[in-house]
C-alpha cells in the first residue's frame, strides 16, 4: 500500500540542489520538478520549500572575498532568488503547472495576524492549483531573526497548513544509527514515541552549503510528528525519490505521527523563540498540567512572573527546576498576573485551548 497523502510539504535542501562547486544542479532540479508534477497530476496538493537562492546567485555574480559575510549572503540571495524562481517557473510550465513565490521571515510566524494572512494566501494558491515555492527571505533575515534553517520553516508550514506529510530531501538516505560513512551503520526506518537523544548517534556535521545539520533535522522532525504529521527524511539525489517514497519503495526514515493538535496549538508549539514573557509554576501546577486531564493554568499554581508580558502574548511556563513545561497565550497581562499569584478562584492565565505542553 502506498502512502495516500493529500497535502504534502516537500523541502529540498541546498545540498540536493547544488553541485560540488556550489553552483545549481539544473538537471537534478528538473528531475525533482518532473516528480512533483507527476504527483500533482494525481490530485495531490504540494507546497515546495526550496533552498538554493544563494547558490543561484553564485552562478550569476562573483562577490569579493573581502565582502562582509552577511552582506554577501544578502546580495547573493537577492540576485539568486530571481533566478531560482524563474528556473522553477519555466520547468513547471513544461507540465502546464503554475508556481508562485512566497518569501517569509520568522517574524511572519510570530504574529498571529501575519500567520493567518500567510495561511490564507497559501490556501488560496492551493485552491487555484498553484504550487507555492517558499523560501526564507534572506535579504531581510539576518542573525537572530532567521529560522534555524529551511527545515524549521518547512515544519512550521506543515503545522500551519495541516499537511498530511512533510518530506525532507537531503543528500543521505535518512537518519543513520551511527556515522553514515562508518561500516555497520544503517538507516533507521521508523522513529516513533517520545524524545530520543539523536546526538548520541547522529553525526552533527553540516552539509557544505546548508545551514542545518542532521540533529536539527531530527529534532524538528520529531516535534512535527508529535503534532500529528508524518515526516520523511530521504535522499534527494536518488532518481525518482519522491514517487518511490510515496510508493514505499525506497530506504528512508519515517517519523510516525503521534497525536493531532488544533491549529492554535500548532502555532503555539512553534512559538518558543517569540515568547515574550514567562511565569514560574509550583510542583502542583506542573503535575496538573502534565496529567492526562485537560487543564488550564490557574493563578493558584503560579509562584511568580519572571518576565513581563501583555494580554495575547505567547508566554513560557517554567517549573522550579528551570525546565520549560509549555507555552501558552496569556489571557491578561503580567501586572494582573502578579496581583493574582497564588490566589484561588481566579480566571486562568492560560486557557487549555491556548496551551501547548512540551514532550
Amino acid at each position: 500500500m502506498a502512502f495516500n497523502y493529500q497535502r504534502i510539504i516537500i523541502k529540498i535542501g541546498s545540498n540536493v540542489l547544488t553541485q560540488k562547486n556550489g553552483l545549481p544542479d539544473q538537471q537534478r532540479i528538473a528531475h525533482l520538478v518532473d516528480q512533483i508534477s507527476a504527483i500533482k497530476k494525481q490530485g495531490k496538493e504540494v507546497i515546495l520549500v526550496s533552498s538554493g537562492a544563494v547558490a543561484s546567485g553564485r552562478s550569476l555574480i562573483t562577490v569579493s572575498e573581502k565582502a562582509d559575510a552577511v552582506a554577501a549572503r544578502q546580495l547573493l540571495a537577492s540576485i539568486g532568488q530571481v533566478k531560482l524562481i524563474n528556473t522553477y517557473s519555466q520547468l513547471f510550465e513544461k507540465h502546464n503547472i503554475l508556481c508562485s513565490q512566497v518569501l517569509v521571515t520568522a517574524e511572519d510566524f510570530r504574529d498571529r495576524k501575519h500567520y493567518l494572512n500567510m495561511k490564507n494566501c497559501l490556501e488560496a494558491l492551493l485552491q487555484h492549483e498553484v504550487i507555492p515555492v517558499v523560501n526564507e527571505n534572506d535579504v531581510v533575515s539576518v542573525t537572530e531573526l532567521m529560522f534555524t534553517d529551511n527545515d524549521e520553516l518547512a515544519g512550521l508550514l506543515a503545522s500551519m497548513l495541516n499537511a498530511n506529510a512533510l518530506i525532507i530531501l537531503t543528500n543521505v538516505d535518512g537518519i543513520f544509527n551511527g556515522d553514515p560513512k562508518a561500516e555497520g551503520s544503517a538507516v533507521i526506518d521508523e522513529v516513533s514515541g517520545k524524545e530520543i537523544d539523536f546526538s548520541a548517534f547522529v553525526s552533527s556535521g553540516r552539509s557544505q552549503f546548508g545551514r542545518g545539520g542532521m540533529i536539527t533535522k531530527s529534532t524538528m522532525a520529531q516535534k512535527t510528528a508529535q503534532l500529528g504529521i508524518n515526516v520523511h527524511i530521504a535522499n534527494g539525489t536518488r532518481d525518482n525519490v519522491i514517487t518511490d517514497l510515496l510508493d514505499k519503495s525506497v530506504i528512508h526514515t519515517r517519523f510516525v505521527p503521534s497525536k493531532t493538535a488544533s491549529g492554535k496549538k500548532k502555532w503555539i508549539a512553534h512559538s518558543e523563540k517569540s515568547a515574550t514573557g514567562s511565569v514560574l509554576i509550583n510542583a502542583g501546577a506542573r503535575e496538573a498540567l502534565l496529567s492526562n486531564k485537560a487543564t488550564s493554568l490557574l493563578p493558584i499554581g503560579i509562584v511568580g512572573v519572571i518576565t513581563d508580558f501583555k494580554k495575547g502574548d505567547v508566554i513560557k511556563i517554567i517549573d522550579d527546576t528551570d525546565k520549560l513545561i509549555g507555552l501558552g497565550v496569556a489571557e491578561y497581562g503580567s501586572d494582573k498576573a502578579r496581583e493574582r499569584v497564588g490566589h484561588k478562584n481566579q480566571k486562568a492565565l492560560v486557557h487549555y485551548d491556548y496551551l501547548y505542553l512540551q514532550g
Side-chain angles (χ1 to χ4, degrees):
M1 280 287 289
F3 289 114
N4 188 23
Y5 300 136
Q6 182 53 33
R7 180 173 285 188
I8 306 168
I9 312 276
I10 297 174
K11 184 264 172 173
I12 309 176
S14 50
N15 48 12
V16 174
L17 297 173
T18 44
Q19 304 169 68
K20 284 192 171 74
N21 61 7
L23 299 178
D25 188 331
Q26 300 294 347
Q27 270 182 306
R28 183 162 298 132
I29 297 170
H31 179 56
L32 288 162
V33 166
D34 290 345
Q35 294 173 71
I36 292 166
S37 301
I39 63 171
K40 173 90 175 82
K41 284 175 180 169
Q42 291 168 10
K44 297 181 190 301
E45 295 176 320
V46 182
I47 299 94
L48 179 57
V49 177
S50 177
S51 305
V54 173
S56 295
R58 222 180 257 127
S59 72
L60 296 169
I61 192 169
T62 307
V63 182
S64 159
E65 285 178 19
K66 291 174 189 164
D68 172 73
V70 172
R73 185 181 171 84
Q74 287 174 298
L75 173 71
L76 290 169
S78 182
I79 295 163
Q81 189 62 41
V82 179
K83 172 143 192 213
L84 182 67
I85 200 67
N86 276 334
T87 301
Y88 278 123
S89 179
Q90 285 157 15
L91 291 168
F92 277 119
E93 216 169 88
K94 289 177 183 172
H95 298 275
N96 295 316
I97 292 172
L98 269 180
C99 73
S100 77
Q101 173 171 264
V102 181
L103 293 176
V104 300
T105 67
E107 288 293 310
D108 296 322
F109 286 89
R110 293 175 182 184
D111 180 275
R112 182 84 178 146
K113 198 171 166 188
H114 273 211
Y115 181 88
L116 293 172
N117 284 342
M118 183 165 43
K119 184 181 195 297
N120 292 341
C121 169
L122 289 162
E123 292 282 7
L125 289 166
L126 293 173
Q127 229 172 358
H128 288 82
E129 304 287 325
V130 178
I131 292 183
V133 180
V134 189
N135 196 2
E136 177 165 20
N137 190 344
D138 284 327
V139 175
V140 297
S141 295
V142 286
T143 59
E144 74 281 355
L145 294 178
M146 295 170 101
F147 297 105
T148 312
D149 48 44
N150 266 350
D151 299 320
E152 184 188 6
L153 167 56
L156 286 164
L157 288 170
S159 301
M160 171 194 272
L161 295 168
N162 286 323
N164 306 116
L166 164 60
I167 297 173
I168 296 173
L169 298 180
T170 182
N171 60 350
V172 287
D173 289 340
I175 309 275
F176 282 76
N177 58 7
D179 184 339
K181 295 185 186 80
E183 212 179 312
S185 284
V187 171
I188 302 167
D189 291 332
E190 265 190 9
V191 178
S192 59
K194 292 260 173 135
E195 301 293 317
I196 293 174
D197 180 13
F198 290 104
S199 59
F201 51 77
V202 171
S203 159
S204 61
R206 295 181 175 203
S207 64
Q208 195 182 349
F209 304 110
R211 283 216 306 271
M214 243 334 153
I215 292 173
T216 46
K217 275 184 181 47
S218 309
T219 310
M220 185 284 302
Q222 197 160 46
K223 186 174 190 172
T224 305
Q226 282 168 1
L227 293 173
I229 297 160
N230 288 272
V231 184
H232 301 264
I233 297 180
N235 192 338
T237 66
R238 279 179 178 263
D239 285 352
N240 302 313
V241 65
I242 301 172
T243 44
D244 286 354
L245 185 152
L246 294 173
D247 287 336
K248 296 189 177 176
S249 61
V250 69
I251 290 174
H252 74 287
T253 301
R254 174 182 173 232
F255 286 74
V256 181
S258 44
K259 58 190 177 187
T260 53
S262 72
K264 289 189 198 93
K265 289 195 187 230
K266 286 181 178 180
W267 169 62
I268 296 163
H270 289 283
S271 299
E272 189 179 335
K273 279 186 189 167
S274 55
T276 46
S278 50
V279 293
L280 183 67
I281 61 168
N282 59 30
R286 181 184 60 218
E287 260 175 65
L289 292 175
L290 296 178
S291 71
N292 290 326
K293 289 180 187 161
T295 312
S296 299
L297 176 60
L298 300 166
I300 192 161
I302 299 169
V303 178
V305 173
I306 304 168
T307 43
D308 288 347
F309 50 88
K310 298 194 288 288
K311 180 184 176 177
D313 284 355
V314 174
I315 60 170
K316 293 181 185 179
I317 300 159
I318 315 269
D319 74 2
D320 51 7
T321 65
D322 208 28
K323 188 180 176 212
L324 179 67
I325 297 297
L327 300 156
V329 176
E331 294 282 317
Y332 41 86
S334 49
D335 290 353
K336 274 189 186 163
R338 278 196 184 90
E339 287 169 19
R340 297 171 182 179
V341 160
H343 289 201
K344 282 183 184 173
N345 306 324
Q346 296 290 332
K347 183 185 174 187
L349 174 60
V350 177
H351 188 273
Y352 172 74
D353 288 346
Y354 291 88
L355 175 67
Y356 172 78
L357 299 167
Q358 297 283 93

